[in-house]
Amino acid sequence: QVQLQESGPGLVKPSQTLSLICTVSGGSISSGSYYWSWIRQPAGKGLEWIGRFYISGITNYNPSLKSRVTISVDTSKNQLSLKLSSVTAADTAVFYCARTPVGPEYYFDYWGQGTLVTVSS
Amino acid sequence: SYELTQPPSVSVSPGQTARITCSGDALPKQYAYWYQQKPGQAPVLVIYKDTERPSGIPERFSGSNSGTTVTLTISGVQAEDEADYYCQSADSSGTYPVVFGGGTKLTVL
C-alpha cells in the first residue's frame, strides 16, 4: 500500500521561497508508472493543481503559477519536492502531494494527508 | 483559463438521491473525475472516467455524462456522505491538464 507524506516548514515569510517534501513509501517514485503532483487548498476554499513530475524529467505546471514553481524528485530518497518562490499571504494553504497512474485518464488515486503552510511575517 | 462550474451546495434528506453537477465546455471530449473530501481529510476518488467506480466505493455512488455537464449521483444518501465533492477534468487544448471545480458542499438534513 503506497503512502505519501508531506513535510516542511509550517511558516514562511512573505517574498521567501516555500519548500516542501513528499516522501513516498510502499512504491518507487522511479517506477515510471505514475505521475507525481502537488495540489493546494486554501482554508475553506477549493483545490488547485500546482504541477506534476514524471520520472523522465517532464514537468507540467499550472499556467497561473508556472513562473514561481519548481517540482523535482530525489530518487535516492524516494521524495518529490516543491519550491514556490516569492510567496504572499495568498499562498497560505494546505499542500498535498498525490499520485496519478500513467494512462489516458488522469486522476489522483493516492494522496498525502496534507501539510499546512502559512505565509506571514 | 478553463473552468468547471459546480453548485456551491446541495441538501438532501437521508435516503433521498443527491445529484451534483459539473459543467465545462471540454467535458464532451475530456473525462471527468469526482472526489469526496471530509473535514480535515485528503480527497478520496469516488468516480473516474465519468462513470467508473473505484474498488471500495459504495454502489450508491454513480456518475453520468451528458455533453457539457457531468453528474455525480448518490442514491440512498447516508449521513456519512456529508462532505465536499469536487469534479476534476482538463481543457481540450492541453494548456490546463488538471482543473478542479469549485466544490459542492453536500448537506444531509
Side-chain angles (χ1 to χ4, degrees):
Chain A
Q1 181 84 339
V2 67
Q3 291 186 322
L4 292 74
Q5 178 68 59
E6 304 88 349
S7 60
L11 181 64
V12 180
K13 294 185 184 324
S15 80
Q16 293 190 341
T17 295
L18 177 160
S19 295
L20 295 176
I21 293 291
C22 172
T23 301
V24 178
S25 58
S28 173
I29 206 168
S30 307
S31 74
S33 298
Y34 304 100
Y35 295 98
W36 304 91
S37 286
W38 286 98
I39 296 158
R40 69 179 182 178
Q41 184 174 35
K45 297 187 178 181
L47 301 164
E48 181 180 34
W49 178 72
I50 298 170
R52 67 188 181 194
F53 183 95
Y54 183 63
I55 196 57
S56 66
I58 294 174
T59 54
N60 302 101
Y61 299 125
N62 186 324
S64 67
L65 298 169
K66 186 175 182 178
S67 63
R68 299 195 291 132
V69 175
T70 302
I71 296 175
S72 61
V73 299
D74 183 335
T75 55
S76 66
K77 297 180 180 179
N78 221 31
Q79 292 178 335
L80 177 75
S81 74
L82 169 70
K83 293 188 184 300
L84 181 65
S85 64
S86 305
V87 297
T88 68
D91 294 310
T92 294
V94 173
F95 287 76
Y96 297 98
C97 56
R99 187 187 83 167
T100 296
V102 171
E105 305 89 30
Y106 199 90
Y107 56 88
F108 304 101
D109 62 349
Y110 282 93
W111 298 62
Q113 65 184 27
T115 187
L116 173 63
V117 178
T118 301
V119 178
S120 175
S121 56
Chain B
S1 64
Y2 179 63
E3 294 184 354
L4 296 171
T5 302
Q6 299 180 235
S9 62
V10 169
S11 299
V12 296
S13 299
Q16 290 189 329
T17 296
R19 294 180 179 86
I20 300 172
T21 59
C22 172
S23 299
D25 291 341
L27 288 175
K29 298 180 179 179
Q30 298 287 352
Y31 284 125
Y33 311 92
W34 290 94
Y35 301 87
Q36 176 194 68
Q37 186 181 34
K38 296 182 178 180
Q41 298 182 18
V44 173
L45 181 72
V46 295
I47 293 291
Y48 67 100
K49 279 180 66 176
D50 292 345
T51 61
E52 301 296 315
R53 193 173 53 251
S55 60
I57 300 301
E59 292 184 4
R60 64 180 182 272
F61 288 86
S62 63
S64 61
N65 184 319
S66 56
T68 57
T69 299
V70 293
T71 301
L72 172 68
T73 300
I74 310 172
S75 304
V77 167
Q78 301 181 6
E80 66 195 50
D81 299 329
E82 184 164 290
D84 294 325
Y85 291 85
Y86 293 91
C87 62
Q88 176 230 317
S89 188
D91 75 330
S92 54
S93 70
T95 303
Y96 296 89
V98 179
V99 178
F100 290 98
T104 298
K105 170 66 176 178
L106 175 65
T107 299
V108 182
L109 302 171

